[in-house]
Amino acid sequence: MNSSMKRLLNIGALCLLLHISVVLAAKPGTSARVDALLKTMTLDEKIGQMTQVDYDAIKLNPSDIEKYALGSILWGGGSEPDNIKPQGWADICDSYQGFTQKTKMKIPLIFGIDAVHGHNNVDGAVIFPHNIGLGATRNPKIVEQIGHATAVEMQGTGIQWDFAPCVAVARNERWGRTYESFGEDPALAKELGAAFVKGMQGSRLSAKTSALACVKHFAGDGGTTNGKDQGNTEVDEATLRAIHLPGYVEGIKAGALSIMVSYSSWNGKKMHGNKYLMTDVLKKELGFRGFLVSDWAGIDQLDTASYKNAIMLSINAGLDMAMIPNAPKQKNNYVDFIAYMKELVAEGKIPVSRIDDAVRRILIVKNEMGLFEHPFRDKALLAKIGSKAHRAIGRDAVRQSLVVLKNEKNILPLSKKLKNVIVAGKGADDIGMQCGGWTISWQGKSGNVLSGGTTILQAIKHTVSKNTEVTYSADGSGATGADAAIVVVGEEPYAEMIGDRADLHLSKNDVDVIEKLKATGIPVVVVLLSGRPIIITDVIKDSHAFVAAWLPGTEGQGVADVLFGDYKPTGKLPHTWPKDMTQIPISAGDKKSEPLFPYGFGLSY
Ligand code: BGC
Ligand code: BGC
């Protein structure tokens, strides 16, 4: 063999070696780093990775992050640092991540939060429309942009994991989480959920401007009987797969590497213990290679008499990480969880192979996120929170989300040159109400809950000509002689558990304001702020124009853009709009009586 032949052979061998190592590195579920970690980790360290503790509990003993080598910290809807401005959140993340650097394995924490319409717990962040409004846009592009902007704002505070998108398919408007769903049609959850995942995770998950998405709540959360939150979804498997699973199938395809399990039950069996759906369907059949996190104390509900048994049932069913709100000495706290996990493994009730599988999944995701390379935040991103560019995305989303339901004699768009406009209704100058639940606090609140943003009244004032007089009167008095009235009414903020309603009529106060204005004989434009279709069959007759604005968030300018013609409405109903309570539940394709407006309805100019 001459030397050039030898050289060729050597190159051939090198190529083969390279090829093998590339294949090994690329094979889903394996990574040299993760294998090496798993080989050296003790059982305690593995259990630590599977433990996610709420901020309100860990803040009492932050050094427990190091002591128990915890894997994750979250902020639930009710937990927040004392300083809720961006810097306050960033400081906590920096200091907590510091504890992991003192552990033997130095595995970084992953911080999780419900940034379900922007980085909504942070004062100064842009609040985007809730998902129901995004469903009305029918536009995956804008949803992808929102996902990306939200990831950037989260990373600005050092938080890298979003408990979103919610791909619930809300089938009953009584449900208080209807607004967290993109709409009644699984096609919306599929397309828009996947778009959100793409925007949030970016083209490279390890980029500092990307964050991990978490598709939730698996599965059937929007299909419970009577729309009861955390209730029972009573459908056969074919229906479950057709309506409630497509959001996950598409989310996984889009690259989602975490999924949250639902509090709800499927035909009487709680999802947190459903091995068939969690392991056989999700992980095996659908090839989900990320990890499954529980909902807030979701395991606990499996056996209220024995936490230990509940833990065993859920972990063996396929749960990988437990979300634990409680502090030591409280019921079912994280120290108990860790102790019971150790006992269960020692007793052979949870196989070591199950622990290894869970930890491998968690570490693979942390590794792909680049957390080992950059556990700490990129300080430059803090300035992006609430940026002009993000507000512009919000405004664009708002205008695309508005659905015009009525426009008698084409009174919309209103002229910017009207002499005087009266603005009325409790929602017209209320940033808290236009944001809805999951805004600064868990349930949200009316009033000046945050800084930044534009109320609808402010937006109207910015839009009309200098000579137009805009008067605000919450109850609609003093309207006689005005050229037009814009009335903003609707639901006050609520969230899960509290938001279920047996009666969805517009409140009497709201109806009174509309009727008072109608009596003056001037044109009346109603803007409805709501997390779902509301019963408006009578009151819509008292208006000349009627616009469903959902829960638009901080960028109220988008509402004025539609009212005054800077944007021609394109929004389409993401829900069939019922005539009365007896029609609920009603969805497109049901052979029921005529709804007030069909699914997909929406006028334009
Ligand atoms: C909700 C989840 C949320 C979690 C953490 C639960 O009560 O159901 O949607 O992600 O709390 O705040
Ligand atoms: C959490 C929710 C939880 C609720 C009720 C809130 O603080 O964020 O996720 O469901 O408390 O316990």
Side-chain angles (χ1 to χ4, degrees), residues 164-167 197 213-218 247-248 251-252 256 258-260:
C166 175
V167 296
V197 170
C214 182
V215 189
K216 71 186 188 184
H217 310 79
F218 184 77
Y248 297 92
I252 292 169
S258 80
I259 289 176
M260 188 185 293

Side-chain angles (χ1 to χ4, degrees), residues 194-213:
F196 187 88
V197 170
K198 283 185 198 146
M200 171 79 23
Q201 297 197 166
S203 49
R204 206 161 44 86
L205 183 57
S206 62
K208 276 310 255 181
T209 48
S210 299
L212 177 68

Side-chain angles (χ1 to χ4, degrees), residues 293-354:
V293 64
S294 79
D295 204 332
W296 176 274
I299 292 181
D300 311 27
Q301 298 186 7
L302 290 181
D303 183 342
T304 48
S306 164
Y307 187 37
K308 183 172 171 181
N309 187 48
I311 294 168
M312 181 190 78
L313 293 172
S314 196
I315 301 294
N316 283 340
L319 187 83
D320 302 307
M321 186 186 277
M323 187 190 288
I324 305 170
N326 296 335
K329 299 203 181 89
Q330 292 176 332
K331 196 172 174 241
N332 300 355
N333 63 69
Y334 64 91
V335 177
D336 290 351
F337 173 81
I338 291 167
Y340 285 143
M341 284 286 282
K342 283 170 74 170
E343 285 176 27
L344 287 162
V345 175
E347 291 159 12
K349 290 183 178 147
I350 295 180
V352 176
S353 57
R354 181 70 269 279

Side-chain angles (χ1 to χ4, degrees), residues 406 408 514-515 518 524 526 536-546 596:
K406 179 178 178 182
E408 206 176 282
I514 297 169
E515 282 179 352
K518 149 96 179 179
V524 178
V526 177
I536 52 167
T537 310
D538 290 329
V539 83
I540 198 169
K541 295 180 190 133
D542 294 334
S543 69
H544 298 87
F546 202 103
L596 189 61

